[in-house]
Amino acid sequence: MSEAPVVTIDGPGGAGKGTVSLLLARRLGWHYLDSGALYRLVAVAAARDGIDLDDGDALARRVPGLRIEFRLHADTLQVLLDDVDVTAAIREEACARAASRLAVHAGLRTALLPLQRAFARPPGLVAEGRDMGTVVFPQAPLKIFLTASAEQRARRRWLQLSAAGVDASLAAILDDLRRRDAQDASRTTAPLRPADDAVLIDSSDLTADEVCARIAGHCQERGLTVGTDPVP
Ligand code: DC
């Protein structure tokens, strides 16, 4: 495994991992891995190539041939699959559902391991997902488990969608989120759970900046450099 230090941020959907991880990566001047985007990309590729979401072997075989590009901008991540911009497509709720469904396959998860670990390059990596601290980067010097109440997470997602002009029902989002939580936490391979040595943070009553500041404090305690000049 790489020598580069890794901060892992795991937790359920809607806890604010994405925003906080991006903020922290910029603050540290480190690389950023959105592992959920990888699962979502596989869902997009499966739909495009007609691969059954229940066929774990076929999904795993497809991974090495995927040309994936992550471009980190000021506060967004642009995602390309085989040179096609799929940034918006991977954020659709249908894609999230498909990603959660295919994420149960052990073979697929194994196929994605080298891809994820390749992100750990100097000066360091902020990696977010469900199993970053437990499976992908078990040696990480700082592991965060970020939670928030289901109601708060659903409300945040609803606000995001409303801001984007999408007409969505709060009750339906809450239902969907609970279903996905149950699926992610109950699967046998790499279920969503905090690593034994994870620091738990409940973001229900905190802003993303406040959560980021707390994590930066933990970084400093562990001697992980917090820079003031974010890398471009
Ligand atoms: O974080 P997200 O909502 O973009 O993730 C989409 C799905 O991908 C999630 O429901 C479960 C799966 N996932 C996973 O199994 N392991 C990860 N490290 C990240 C995501």
Side-chain angles (χ1 to χ4, degrees):
M1 206 171 289
S2 160
E3 299 280 307
V6 180
V7 172
T8 61
I9 303 184
D10 289 308
K17 296 186 307 272
T19 313
V20 167
S21 302
L22 267 167
L23 280 173
L24 184 72
R26 294 203 72 76
R27 187 163 173 160
L28 291 164
W30 286 10
H31 300 283
Y32 165 61
L33 167 63
D34 174 356
S35 61
L38 288 178
Y39 287 88
R40 288 170 185 256
L41 275 173
V42 176
V44 170
R48 192 191 59 189
D49 301 349
I51 304 174
D52 187 340
L53 295 181
D54 295 324
D55 189 344
D57 291 341
L59 291 166
R61 274 199 305 275
R62 192 65 191 84
V63 169
L66 297 176
R67 279 194 298 126
I68 293 170
E69 199 184 326
F70 283 176
R71 292 185 191 158
L72 195 52
H73 300 292
D75 54 2
T76 53
L77 179 72
Q78 187 188 9
V79 181
L80 289 92
L81 177 64
D82 296 332
D83 297 325
V84 178
D85 190 326
V86 291
T87 312
I90 62 164
R91 297 302 162 200
E92 287 172 13
E93 288 303 305
C95 186
R97 273 195 295 275
S100 179
R101 195 167 137 204
L102 57 79
V104 302
H105 300 298
L108 172 66
R109 303 195 71 86
T110 304
L112 287 172
L113 277 178
L115 234 142
Q116 296 175 87
R117 289 181 176 150
F119 278 79
R121 295 189 307 271
L125 174 70
V126 177
E128 59 133 318
R130 305 290 191 287
D131 62 344
M132 298 295 99
T134 48
V135 176
V136 184
F137 301 108
Q139 315 297 341
L142 175 60
K143 299 174 185 174
I144 303 292
F145 195 82
L146 194 60
T147 56
S149 67
E151 289 74 15
Q152 185 61 262
R153 290 185 285 127
R155 213 180 113 68
R156 284 181 190 156
R157 187 142 289 172
W158 179 77
L159 284 172
Q160 259 172 7
L161 290 172
S162 302
V166 180
D167 191 16
S169 130
L170 184 59
I173 294 174
L174 183 58
D175 256 17
D176 214 55
L177 212 129
R178 287 199 164 122
R179 230 189 333 268
R180 217 149 54 90
D181 278 0
Q183 181 151 291
D184 293 346
S186 66
R187 66 177 177 230
T188 41
T189 311
L192 171 67
R193 67 164 180 86
D196 293 339
D197 51 349
V199 176
L200 302 183
I201 298 179
D202 186 329
S203 73
S204 299
D205 300 314
L206 298 173
T207 65
D209 281 322
E210 287 168 337
V211 175
C212 182
R214 280 200 193 186
I215 300 176
H218 289 289
C219 286
Q220 260 163 341
E221 274 171 22
R222 285 162 176 77
L224 302 167
T225 344
V226 177
T228 46
D229 298 318
V231 287

